[in-house]
Amino acid sequence: MSKKASNSLKQIAKLMRDLDFCMLTTHTRRGGVHVRPMSNNGEVEFDGDVWFFSAADSRKVREIEATPNVHLSYVDVERWRFISMTGKARIVRDVEKKQELWLQDLQQWFDDGPESDAIVLIKVKPTVVSYWTRNDAGELRIG
């Protein structure tokens, strides 16, 4: 990764700090889209990948397995931050990674904890990140 790309990732990470929720868009088998809110676990620092927990048997997991192209939208009207990410998602079942990213707040959605096979991670690797603030706008192409 070039120094410029590394600095840009740090800039995106700074913009994403404290943004917890986003809208995740997946593609349906019939060519439509499905959008739902997802917790980005605002305490996790963006390093070029975005991680979400999900039930293994969910519609979004099936859609990602069939068509990995996704879109993420973040909005913070109070601080005037808008971030759009397009990229590829994949399903990760690695228990160690789930334990690493686990936060106690997740217990309210996932009773069985990170060791459960019923819980998976969705890893999104953005290829294009666009952002808008009061004073700046930009686009970063990754990869």
Side-chain angles (χ1 to χ4, degrees):
M1 179 183 317
S2 71
K3 186 175 181 179
K4 182 178 181 181
S6 176
N7 288 340
S8 297
L9 282 177
K10 288 179 183 176
Q11 181 180 8
I12 299 300
K14 184 177 178 183
L15 286 172
M16 288 184 64
R17 199 164 288 132
D18 302 324
L19 287 175
D20 191 4
F21 287 92
C22 71
M23 299 300 287
L24 167 66
T25 303
T26 56
H27 296 270
T28 67
R29 291 186 189 271
R30 295 183 179 207
V33 295
H34 186 219
V35 183
R36 82 280 288 152
M38 296 291 290
S39 174
N40 192 57
N41 302 331
E43 296 175 30
V44 177
E45 186 80 11
F46 176 71
D47 64 358
D49 296 323
V50 182
W51 295 88
F52 304 101
F53 281 88
S54 175
D57 63 352
S58 69
R59 177 178 173 180
K60 65 185 153 291
V61 168
R62 290 189 305 275
E63 290 172 346
I64 288 168
E65 288 176 331
T67 307
N69 299 319
V70 298
H71 180 259
L72 305 174
S73 298
Y74 296 85
V75 175
D76 179 358
V77 177
E78 279 185 28
R79 296 184 193 133
W80 201 258
R81 293 183 289 177
F82 303 88
I83 300 171
S84 170
M85 296 183 178
T86 56
K88 300 275 186 193
R90 69 181 181 92
I91 305 306
V92 176
R93 291 177 168 79
D94 182 278
V95 173
E96 286 182 25
K97 190 65 177 177
K98 291 190 292 183
Q99 290 170 335
E100 174 189 333
L101 296 174
W102 186 260
L103 302 172
Q104 274 312 118
D105 288 351
L106 292 166
Q107 197 73 36
Q108 65 185 311
W109 291 292
F110 306 108
D111 293 337
D112 297 334
E115 294 80 14
S116 172
D117 290 340
I119 300 169
V120 297
L121 288 168
I122 298 171
K123 178 183 181 181
V124 177
K125 183 164 273 315
T127 53
V128 178
V129 179
S130 302
Y131 67 91
W132 299 264
T133 67
R134 287 192 199 282
N135 305 315
D136 193 18
E139 185 173 276
L140 172 63
R141 295 192 178 273
I142 304 170

